[in-house]
């Protein structure tokens, strides 16, 4: 089920494929409606971002995308917690891509997370006034009702070495 994708550098980390799913082909409003409120908890701020009047991302041809789920420390950060911006840059340096905001909606539906699991969707493109960025997190608090939430960060804030991030391979 898992496939190994080598980094472009000879000494780069080996990144396993965490999930391969189809993305695109649906509007954000349709992706959001695919997450029924009785099964999924989607924070109101996420719903407002993907409201049809504000977002047209996600429409187009469906494509298969491979996603990785890696702890920050496994991206080459060992001693001190890096800044979010440094982690995003490291992902790009390894030849991979950050997620699109609409990927979070697809990932929320596709992932089966153990209770207590917390994943940060590595992404850019959603910036609020004052330079604060939205990143989405996928959390599993109970046996049911996966949660999709907004976390407000600044790119110069530190991220814990054990934090798991999702990004595109």
């Amino acid at each position: 089920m898992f496939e190994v994708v080598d980094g472009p550098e000879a000494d780069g980390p080996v990144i396993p494929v965490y999930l391969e799913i189809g993305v695109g082909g649906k509007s954000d409003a349709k992706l959001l409606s695919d997450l029924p409120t009785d099964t999924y908890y989607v924070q109101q701020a996420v719903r407002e971002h993907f409201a049809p009047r504000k977002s047209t991302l996600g429409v187009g041809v469906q494509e298969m995308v491979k996603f990785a789920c890696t702890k920050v420390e496994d991206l080459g950060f060992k001693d001190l917690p890096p800044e979010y911006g440094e982690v995003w840059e490291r992902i790009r340096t390894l030849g991979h891509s950050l997620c699109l905001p609409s990927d979070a909606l697809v990932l929320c539906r596709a992932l089966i997370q153990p209770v207590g699991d917390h994943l940060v969707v590595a992404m850019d493109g959603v910036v609020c006034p004052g330079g604060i960025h939205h990143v989405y997190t996928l959390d599993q608090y109970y046996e049911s009702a996966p949660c999709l939430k907004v976390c407000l960060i600044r790119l110069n804030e530190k991220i814990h070495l054990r934090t798991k991030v999702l990004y595109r391979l």
Side-chain angles (χ1 to χ4, degrees):
M1 176 175 174
F2 290 99
E3 174 184 341
V4 175
V5 178
D6 292 321
E9 305 168 9
D11 61 343
V14 175
I15 309 292
V17 173
Y18 181 67
L19 179 68
E20 183 175 2
I21 53 173
V23 298
K26 293 183 181 180
S27 70
D28 290 344
K30 175 62 177 146
L31 290 172
L32 194 56
S33 70
D34 287 346
L35 300 173
T37 55
D38 60 337
T39 309
Y40 299 90
Y41 172 76
V42 179
Q43 191 177 32
Q44 185 62 32
V46 176
R47 290 188 180 283
E48 289 172 4
H49 172 74
F50 288 111
R53 66 187 183 336
K54 291 187 177 182
S55 181
T56 58
L57 298 172
V59 179
V61 178
Q62 184 173 17
E63 61 178 317
M64 293 302 288
V65 175
K66 294 177 182 177
F67 290 91
C69 180
T70 310
K71 288 182 184 174
V72 170
E73 65 187 354
D74 294 336
L75 289 170
F77 300 99
K78 297 292 181 195
D79 299 326
L80 298 172
E83 298 174 353
Y84 280 90
E86 292 173 325
V87 174
W88 287 191
E89 185 57 36
R90 177 69 174 156
I91 290 167
R92 289 183 182 113
T93 300
L94 291 171
H96 307 301
S97 305
L98 299 182
C99 294
L100 300 175
S102 58
D103 290 346
L105 298 171
V106 176
L107 289 166
C108 183
R109 185 176 170 103
L111 291 179
I112 298 172
Q113 294 174 263
V115 174
D117 196 35
H118 171 78
L119 303 172
V120 174
V121 179
M123 56 179 266
D124 57 14
V126 183
V127 182
C128 301
I132 296 176
H133 292 245
H134 277 186
V135 293
Y136 297 121
T137 63
L138 297 163
D139 297 286
Q140 186 70 44
Y141 296 116
Y142 307 105
E143 292 292 329
S144 61
C147 298
L148 175 58
K149 302 186 319 183
V150 168
C151 181
L152 300 175
I153 64 159
R154 293 188 187 278
L155 291 180
N156 63 352
E157 286 179 17
K158 302 289 185 184
I159 182 172
H160 194 278
L161 290 171
R162 297 259 175 189
T163 300
K164 294 185 286 185
V165 294
L166 288 163
Y167 54 93
R168 289 174 166 226
L169 293 174

